[in-house]
Amino acid sequence: MLDTWEDQAAREVFRQGADLLADRYRELGLNQLLPIDRVWVGVRSTRPDAFGGFHHPNQGYRHVQLASVITRYGLLSDPRLASPELVALDLLRSYSHDCLHWGSFREYRLHGGQVVRSRYGINWRDSHGRTYSAPDADGTSSTRNLGTVMEGATDREARTIAATVADRLGLTQQIAPPDRPAFRDTTGRLEPADLEHSTPGIATPFHQAMTGYEHGVGARYRHFLAEVGGADAETLHRLIVAAMISGDTSALTARLDRHHGRDAFRVSFAPRPTPVPTRASRPR
């Protein structure tokens, strides 16, 4: 798809980004990236209102197929690129994001004749597919759910890579006003006003998905790092990502124990409680 673009600047965005993410992830223990032939990019849609990009519905990494399905940013019924540099930056974020999903440690087991993913990164699942930690309560500003922690850490890496490339190439002033909220989302620099109402030129469902993701993942992970990591939040983040990739949580748990007391991992990410039948719910 990149080869079909006439815009050299947009191609340079992805080229520099790919080099950067390879170096960054190698430092964290991931020596091989998601093969590019395992990435499918949707570029057109027959639906007149389909708006592609990172927040397009039902896209992302597929752990069974070991593949990524993403879409190009912008109105998919229009073959023109709304903002070539932003399209490339959004693709870079999606690819960087799914490289970590693909590269995270995973474990599968047989249960009742079925293959069950029993572990993914630093998260465990029981034979019914339920995750180790309970979901966050509605309205909470932080998280103690390992799935959200991993998703937040993954996207923090992807956004950091996108932001670094954007700064290197001076893209901030090149993105037209209708696309600036999406640019700030891609680079991890959303402002409160970006989440309050949809910007003309950006489809409302896309804006709603962007807002929901920021509230449910991005902001919660930032608050988690601030609460648990304190002044050393970046070190905690890097330990989380390294543990996700290797499956070795010893450095992460040691750091948590030093700062928050013995067995801090279990205490912080308490397993979901087993329901105790009450008189009203007990089978008759």
Side-chain angles (χ1 to χ4, degrees), residues 202-235:
I202 296 181
T204 298
F206 182 90
H207 180 268
Q208 291 174 340
M210 181 183 79
T211 300
Y213 188 84
E214 179 62 15
H215 286 320
V217 177
R220 284 183 179 178
Y221 183 63
R222 285 196 304 276
H223 282 118
F224 162 79
L225 287 180
E227 291 172 352
V228 180
D232 209 16
E234 186 59 29
T235 297

Side-chain angles (χ1 to χ4, degrees), residues 24-269:
R24 170 82 174 178
Y25 288 174
R26 190 178 299 113
E27 292 176 1
L28 293 167
L30 182 59
N31 296 313
Q32 185 177 357
L33 302 179
L34 171 64
I36 206 70
D37 61 357
R38 304 299 299 168
V39 183
W40 284 265
V41 184
V43 297
R44 291 184 300 276
S45 175
T46 56
R47 292 190 291 109
D49 61 339
F51 198 92
F54 183 81
H55 298 291
H56 185 72
N58 301 319
Q59 71 171 41
Y61 184 69
R62 305 291 194 266
H63 81 93
V64 173
Q65 294 84 2
L66 299 177
S68 174
V69 179
I70 58 181
T71 54
R72 72 157 174 86
Y73 173 81
L75 196 62
L76 293 175
S77 60
D78 188 345
R80 296 170 297 179
L81 299 184
S83 174
E85 291 84 2
L86 179 55
V87 170
L89 207 63
D90 180 85
L91 286 174
L92 175 62
R93 176 195 184 180
S94 294
Y95 179 62
S96 302
H97 187 105
D98 287 351
C99 276
L100 269 185
H101 281 318
W102 178 80
S104 290
F105 178 87
R106 49 195 178 268
E107 176 186 81
Y108 297 87
R109 294 182 179 179
L110 277 174
H111 180 77
Q114 299 293 319
V115 177
V116 177
R117 185 173 62 165
S118 55
R119 186 176 168 195
Y120 170 52
I122 60 173
N123 199 6
W124 286 260
R125 292 177 180 268
D126 64 18
S127 59
H128 300 286
R130 293 175 300 195
T131 60
Y132 175 83
S133 48
D136 298 316
D138 292 341
T140 56
S141 60
S142 186
T143 182
R144 292 298 185 273
N145 177 270
L146 286 173
T148 302
V149 167
M150 286 181 56
E151 177 68 11
T154 296
D155 202 48
R156 182 182 176 96
E157 282 296 312
R159 283 169 150 179
T160 297
I161 290 165
T164 302
V165 173
D167 290 344
R168 283 182 181 177
L169 300 177
L171 299 183
T172 303
Q173 301 305 318
Q174 298 181 35
I175 307 299
D179 296 307
R180 282 182 184 166
F183 173 76
R184 287 192 286 266
D185 172 57
T186 302
T187 54
R189 297 164 179 168
L190 278 169
E191 299 173 359
D194 296 328
L195 305 175
E196 292 174 0
H197 53 80
S198 183
T199 303
I202 296 181
T204 298
F206 182 90
H207 180 268
Q208 291 174 340
M210 181 183 79
T211 300
Y213 188 84
E214 179 62 15
H215 286 320
V217 177
R220 284 183 179 178
Y221 183 63
R222 285 196 304 276
H223 282 118
F224 162 79
L225 287 180
E227 291 172 352
V228 180
D232 209 16
E234 186 59 29
T235 297
L236 175 60
H237 166 71
R238 291 179 69 92
L239 286 173
I240 289 170
V241 176
M244 286 165 46
I245 292 170
S246 68
D248 182 359
T249 62
S250 58
L252 173 60
T253 54
R255 194 267 180 200
L256 291 173
D257 286 352
R258 284 196 305 272
H259 290 266
H260 300 283
R262 186 178 178 181
D263 207 16
F265 186 95
R266 185 191 62 79
V267 172
S268 299
F269 309 107

